[in-house]
Amino acid sequence: MGTLILFILFSALFALATSTNPTLSEGLSLSSENQEDVLTSPNGVFSAGFYQVGENAKCFAIWFASRPSRIQDRTVVWMANRDQPVNGRKSKLSLLRTGNLILTDAGKFTVWETNTISISSLELVLNDAGNLVLQTLGGESLWESFDFPTDTLLPQQLLTRKTHLVSSRSQTNYSSGFYKLLFDNDNVLCLLYDGAKVSGIYWPKPWVLPSQDGRFAYNSSRIAVLDSFGNFSSSDNFTFLSADYGQLLNRRLTLDYDGNLRLYSWDEEDEMWAVSWQAFQAPCIIHGVCGANGVCNYVPGIGRKCSCLPGYKMINHTDWSQGCEPELDLSYGKNDGFLPLSHLDFYGNDYNNNPDRYTLDGCMKLCLESAKCKAFQYTFDTNHGFSKCYPKIKLMNGHRSPQFKGSFYLRVPKKDLPNLLSNANLAEEIGLNCSSEAPLQLQRKYIKNRENETIKFMLWFVCGLGGLEILGIVLVWCLFLRTPKSPSADKQGYLLAITRFRKFTYSELKTATNGFTEEIGRGAGGIVYKGVLADNRVAAIKQLYEANQGEEVFLAEVNIIGRLNHMNLIEMWGYCAEGKQRLLVTEYMEHGSLANNLSSNTLDWKKRFEIALGTAKGLSYLHEECLEWVLHCDIKPENIFLDSDYQPKVADFGLSKLQSRGESNNPSFSRMRGTRGYMAPEWLFNLSITSKVDVYSYGIVVLEMVTGKEAAKGVHDIESGEQPQHKRLVSWVREKKNRAALTESWHEGIIDPRLKGEYDIRKMETLIAVALQCAKEEKDARPSMREVVEMLLAQENDH
Ligand SMILES: *[C@@H]1O[C@H](CO)[C@@H](O)[C@H](O)[C@H]1NC(C)=O
Ligand SMILES: *[C@@H]1O[C@H](CO)[C@@H](O)[C@H](O)[C@H]1NC(C)=O
Ligand SMILES: *[C@@H]1O[C@H](CO)[C@@H](O)[C@H](O)[C@H]1NC(C)=O
Ligand SMILES: *[C@@H]1O[C@H](CO)[C@@H](O)[C@H](O)[C@H]1NC(C)=O
Ligand SMILES: *[C@@H]1O[C@H](CO)[C@@H](O)[C@H](O)[C@H]1NC(C)=O
Ligand SMILES: *[C@@H]1O[C@H](CO)[C@@H](O)[C@H](O)[C@H]1NC(C)=O
């Protein structure tokens, strides 16, 4: 009997692992690593799962499942976390027993959640319409993806007053772009360009009243929907029928990255999406295409092209949205001339409130009166029989339009006019190249967490080895782990099981450290105690001195630090923030600090080189590869720890961030951080602080490791005017080395005598050269940490 139950349990769990289920039940999750972990709609049209958006970066998405079959061509219709992709490994979408659906990045951080709570059991279902629904077993919906569209509206999906479509950045970048489809305050469905500097509605035509465009502004229900046959209708009386109206096809209405709204139908025969309606035939009307002083020209079949006005040049050759800048000296005096250009239309930015009844001369005079006027537009109003004058202070949204009857006059210095008139073609037309915005891959690197892999492997190994009974026991144990006692325990247990990064209570840490008795270090940030956690791990627990930082700020920073994961950085296991107490829990390093090891002379040459290299790798990761820039600001031998293999791990990174608040209460420490002896000159001279301060300190540390002399010992006070010890160390080494041309044996003169001559001359030369470069006074002369790593690796690979 018992065996039978275990067998059933086993089957259930196995089904879970391969995840052929069409629904996701409570307590289970979909993994970013497993290709098979997808939900598919009963009709097979839609799938939901992790979608690759960059190198090792994924988003949880819904896509058309059957078409096209090639994974890289999948048509995504919805994304949970388009602006915050997660790691391709160890990320999960989990339906918690609390009723919340959460997406965790690399198992650590919740990047997205539905914020739902339910006492009854829930399941996540992908229905035939492509709607991902979180519902009770009785079918009552708590959350659905249709209520949170991204750039696509599917048939039956309502666009409401609360929702809008946002285009993606580019063809390959799915994060939120600049174009939006929404109901504006006048109840009119419109397209909005919402750029970094300017924004404006470009559909319906902004220069006519909505009512003239057939829109009805008095229905405030603000609802629009597309039906399966291809009929789109909106409460403002805007409707359209698709070109293939009536047929039952797979359709999607997408606000494309180029700002055009298009209805697509899937063409079974050609296996491609065909456009069956679009908002713009002439897409140059879309705002923000070519940037300021640029002109968009649409060539059917080729696409949009941008060019600059005569006398202007492109600001950035890779990015048209930055527009063009004057090539000529445009000081805008009273004697300027005007260059006539036909069929050019610049929308907006005119300043004449009363443009009616102007002669061309009058309009020119009006423009010349203002130093702000850059050009004017002069149009004949056929309805009224007079001309209108629109002087422009900015030249935005320019496009060439054969239908445009007016003229455009660009203001230029008189002396340049003949030259410009003789070749008044627009400067070279450069294609607005879609692919120029393209295959940049999102780079997100993460370091694998070996331990988890091992645990997983062992579980499978045990499962494979044991008989059914053993398996049963393991499964019961698994089940036990999967059944949390309370919601909060659930979340914490979940985090703990995967990453071990968690919040500790003060009393837990008090127990772990035996009442904060065994002090193992004391630094600028706080006192470090050794402790043994409840799970028998030995930890270093640092109690921060300055605890006046708010809990939220502290948590935000700790989250950043906890995210950093590199073999040459001390791993953070957790933190505690209770009342005024702020503590950090990190791994404990057996061999202690580099400082201790240097003074007790336990490091041979090989270890010293490895430590220099490892430390550089850790810092390089901090500076360049992690998600946020973290400067260390306090590199010194006391902050570099050695593990059981004498591999270095940098500690206390990010501490400067954790204390940035408290510092302001302490004026004597208002700016300087770090430790005398390792501080870059920028600190003293109030220059801007960059990652190069860490490079400087690193250089000093390497000099110490090679020479065995201590930079901070008996420091000559900086205020005393005497040259501080570390500077003397640098100039001493530099001088010795400069005499290399004269004497052969400069190496002997500076190498740590305790090495007794056992060192590799070429490696030593490299280390000294790198260290001296790092310790340059001028910060721009110092290499980056990445360059340091490359220089050291080159030396290492030589052998
Ligand atoms: C809605 O549009 C139709 C034509 O498309 C027009 O005949 C009708 O008058 C419009 N209704 C309103 C309320 O504007
Ligand atoms: C399209 O849908 C609207 C609203 O449901 C309806 O009034 C209209 O008659 C439909 N048009 C066609 C051609 O079916
Ligand atoms: C407003 O639009 C909705 C949806 O199209 C429609 O059902 C409703 O009858 C309209 N109300 C008025 C007053 O036109
Ligand atoms: C041009 O723009 C790109 C992307 O916005 C930017 O990375 C690059 O640095 C810019 N180049 C110049 C010369 O400003
Ligand atoms: C667009 O970019 C691609 C790749 O960079 C290039 O091969 C192509 O010639 C470009 N097209 C235009 C019109 O510049
Ligand atoms: C996508 O666009 C966002 C927003 O500008 C940007 O932060 C991100 O780096 C882009 N990704 C790629 C791969 O270019």
Side-chain angles (χ1 to χ4, degrees), residues 77-276:
V77 296
W78 181 80
M79 271 186 182
N81 56 320
R82 63 195 307 207
D83 292 319
Q84 201 178 348
V86 294
N87 193 344
R89 287 183 192 282
K90 303 255 180 299
S91 297
K92 279 185 176 187
L93 181 85
S94 312
L95 180 51
L96 304 182
R97 284 176 200 282
T98 54
N100 201 3
L101 182 67
I102 66 166
L103 181 61
T104 41
D105 184 7
K108 277 192 184 176
F109 299 95
T110 304
V111 300
W112 177 89
E113 60 188 317
T114 55
N115 282 314
T116 41
I117 299 173
S118 171
I119 36 169
S120 48
S121 288
L122 298 181
E123 57 178 1
L124 186 67
V125 187
L126 183 62
N127 71 20
D128 282 348
N131 192 5
L132 189 67
V133 185
L134 186 58
Q135 60 185 28
T136 60
L137 299 183
E140 188 198 342
S141 151
L142 267 80
W143 174 94
E144 42 195 279
S145 63
F146 267 19
D147 292 338
F148 303 89
T150 50
D151 64 351
T152 295
L153 212 58
L154 291 170
Q156 325 295 357
Q157 182 177 4
L158 294 181
L159 187 75
T160 68
R161 64 205 159 87
K162 289 190 186 139
T163 59
H164 50 255
L165 300 189
V166 180
S167 68
S168 55
R169 260 306 164 102
S170 70
Q171 216 160 6
T172 51
N173 187 337
Y174 290 93
S175 46
S176 304
F178 298 124
Y179 299 101
K180 293 182 178 163
L181 174 74
L182 45 80
F183 283 98
D184 70 6
N185 290 336
D186 297 330
N187 305 318
V188 171
L189 184 68
C190 65
L191 287 171
L192 172 76
Y193 170 70
D194 193 7
K197 288 186 190 141
V198 291
S199 72
I201 289 173
Y202 57 95
W203 180 87
K205 295 184 201 97
W207 56 90
V208 300
L209 291 173
S211 59
Q212 288 175 300
D213 236 11
R215 305 299 185 95
F216 179 68
Y218 304 103
N219 187 336
S220 53
S221 54
R222 299 190 191 174
I223 285 179
V225 67
L226 172 74
D227 72 15
S228 316
F229 297 107
N231 176 2
F232 181 89
S233 68
S234 148
S235 57
D236 67 351
N237 203 22
F238 171 72
T239 59
F240 70 79
L241 296 181
S242 73
D244 49 13
Y245 174 73
Q247 286 170 275
L248 270 176
L249 297 168
N250 286 313
R251 301 175 188 277
R252 63 187 168 96
L253 183 71
T254 301
L255 179 55
D256 283 323
Y257 66 94
D258 64 0
N260 207 347
L261 182 67
R262 296 188 180 90
L263 178 65
Y264 293 89
S265 345
W266 178 251
D267 184 336
E268 288 286 352
E269 248 166 51
D270 292 345
E271 296 237 306
M272 56 180 283
W273 290 101
V275 176
S276 47

Side-chain angles (χ1 to χ4, degrees), residues 430-616:
I430 303 173
L432 183 71
N433 205 337
C434 305
S435 44
S436 74
E437 310 163 8
L440 265 174
Q441 286 283 297
L442 186 58
Q443 297 269 348
R444 289 189 78 182
K445 290 188 186 156
Y446 293 81
I447 305 301
K448 259 209 249 181
N449 193 341
R450 280 270 181 77
E451 223 146 329
N452 284 334
E453 295 283 313
T454 321
I455 288 174
K456 211 179 193 178
F457 173 75
M458 275 166 57
L459 265 179
W460 280 110
F461 187 68
V462 168
C463 288
L465 256 192
L468 202 55
E469 295 285 348
I470 298 173
L471 206 108
I473 292 166
V474 173
L475 289 178
V476 166
W477 176 64
C478 291
L479 267 189
F480 177 71
L481 274 189
R482 282 179 175 279
T483 316
K485 290 181 189 76
S486 73
S488 79
D490 179 14
K491 214 159 181 176
Q492 294 215 338
Y494 178 73
L495 289 177
L496 179 65
I498 296 168
T499 68
R500 317 194 298 187
F501 182 79
R502 57 170 286 218
K503 177 174 181 165
F504 291 87
T505 63
Y506 187 71
S507 63
E508 260 180 294
L509 296 184
K510 197 167 173 186
T511 314
T513 55
N514 215 346
F516 298 101
T517 44
E518 196 178 341
E519 182 178 322
I520 52 175
R522 217 170 245 262
I527 305 173
V528 188
Y529 301 92
K530 184 173 175 179
V532 181
L533 301 180
D535 56 7
N536 288 327
R537 286 181 294 164
V538 183
I541 296 167
K542 180 165 208 161
Q543 190 162 29
L544 300 181
Y545 291 137
E546 299 177 56
N548 39 8
Q549 190 179 38
E551 181 165 344
E552 272 174 32
V553 179
F554 179 80
L555 285 188
E557 305 292 11
V558 159
N559 268 346
I560 293 171
I561 300 170
R563 214 175 246 248
L564 305 179
N565 188 355
H566 187 276
M567 61 176 289
N568 295 115
L569 297 180
I570 292 266
E571 189 181 342
M572 187 173 315
W573 288 341
Y575 62 92
C576 164
E578 261 176 41
K580 287 234 159 231
Q581 299 293 347
R582 300 283 181 271
L583 297 103
L584 302 175
V585 182
T586 63
E587 59 182 322
Y588 172 79
M589 289 288 110
E590 238 167 285
H591 278 125
S593 71
L594 173 61
N596 287 342
N597 281 276
L598 277 178
S599 64
S600 61
N601 191 25
T602 49
L603 302 173
D604 62 18
W605 175 252
K606 190 165 173 293
K607 283 180 191 142
R608 290 189 200 200
F609 188 84
E610 290 296 312
I611 291 167
L613 178 58
T615 306

Side-chain angles (χ1 to χ4, degrees), residues 309-450:
L309 284 168
Y312 285 77
K313 66 175 199 297
M314 200 174 168
I315 292 176
N316 182 332
H317 277 276
T318 61
D319 184 5
W320 265 112
S321 71
Q322 295 181 27
C324 309
E325 61 191 355
E327 261 175 330
L328 311 169
D329 171 31
L330 296 179
S331 44
Y332 294 131
K334 292 256 186 225
N335 284 324
D336 287 338
F338 288 93
L339 179 67
L341 297 161
S342 52
H343 303 305
L344 286 194
D345 186 8
F346 283 81
Y347 180 74
N349 300 296
D350 38 66
Y351 63 87
N352 189 7
N353 288 331
N354 192 2
D356 295 354
R357 296 173 209 280
Y358 269 85
T359 61
L360 185 56
D361 270 356
C363 195
M364 281 184 185
K365 240 172 103 187
L366 181 68
C367 183
L368 287 176
E369 272 166 17
S370 165
K372 283 188 177 158
C373 177
K374 294 187 164 155
F376 68 87
Q377 211 143 348
Y378 190 67
T379 44
F380 185 69
D381 184 336
T382 40
N383 291 342
H384 297 96
F386 54 68
S387 292
K388 297 187 173 193
C389 174
Y390 299 100
K392 304 272 176 195
I393 46 177
K394 271 189 193 158
L395 302 175
M396 304 293 290
N397 312 315
H399 65 275
R400 207 200 290 235
S401 153
Q403 293 86 19
F404 182 66
K405 293 292 185 296
S407 309
F408 176 81
Y409 292 84
L410 183 66
R411 184 175 178 181
V412 292
K414 255 207 178 110
K415 63 174 170 48
D416 297 312
L417 196 52
N419 191 18
L420 290 172
L421 273 172
S422 63
N423 48 35
N425 309 341
L426 295 182
E428 58 169 323
E429 295 206 335
I430 303 173
L432 183 71
N433 205 337
C434 305
S435 44
S436 74
E437 310 163 8
L440 265 174
Q441 286 283 297
L442 186 58
Q443 297 269 348
R444 289 189 78 182
K445 290 188 186 156
Y446 293 81
I447 305 301
K448 259 209 249 181
N449 193 341
R450 280 270 181 77

Side-chain angles (χ1 to χ4, degrees), residues 27-46:
L28 305 184
S29 52
L30 300 176
S31 152
S32 63
E33 287 178 65
N34 191 349
Q35 292 274 357
E36 271 80 56
D37 265 10
V38 292
L39 301 178
T40 298
S41 61
N43 62 2
V45 173
F46 296 97

